[in-house]
Amino acid sequence: HMLYASRHMKEVTPLDELLAYCDGFESMAAAARSLGVSRQYLNDIVNNKRDLSRGLLSKLGLKRVVVRERKST
């Protein structure tokens, strides 16, 4: 039942996805190499100093979507 499922679902952030991906590697350096980014860039993302780039999101199978909320009148 969809209503039931939606109440128990946790929002997954791009950072959650990145960390789950990195868990599959021996080190953050190995994960960074696999993603084609520097270890420092990956570290900055994990420490909330930088956002995930469009390219990195794509490598994780994600894309950024912006939704404008309607103002109620």
Side-chain angles (χ1 to χ4, degrees), residues 2-3 6 11 13-14 16 19 23-24 26 28-29 34-35 39-43 51 56-57 60-61 64 67-68 73:
M2 190 57 155
L3 181 61
S6 67
E11 179 181 350
T13 68
D16 292 333
L19 292 172
D23 280 345
E26 186 176 300
M28 291 298 275
S34 169
L35 292 166
R39 184 185 52 77
Q40 185 60 53
Y41 176 66
L42 187 57
N43 189 54
D51 288 329
L56 189 51
L57 287 169
L60 295 169
R64 184 168 288 136
V67 178
R68 178 174 291 164
T73 56

Side-chain angles (χ1 to χ4, degrees), residues 5-23:
S6 67
R7 281 192 236 150
H8 299 291
M9 292 174 63
K10 176 187 179 289
E11 179 181 350
V12 177
T13 68
L15 183 56
D16 292 333
E17 291 290 315
L18 177 63
L19 292 172
Y21 178 85
C22 291
D23 280 345

Side-chain angles (χ1 to χ4, degrees), residues 58-72:
S58 179
K59 289 177 184 179
L60 295 169
L62 304 171
K63 75 177 184 177
R64 184 168 288 136
V65 176
V66 177
V67 178
R68 178 174 291 164
E69 292 183 336
R70 278 189 175 175
K71 292 182 181 180
S72 57

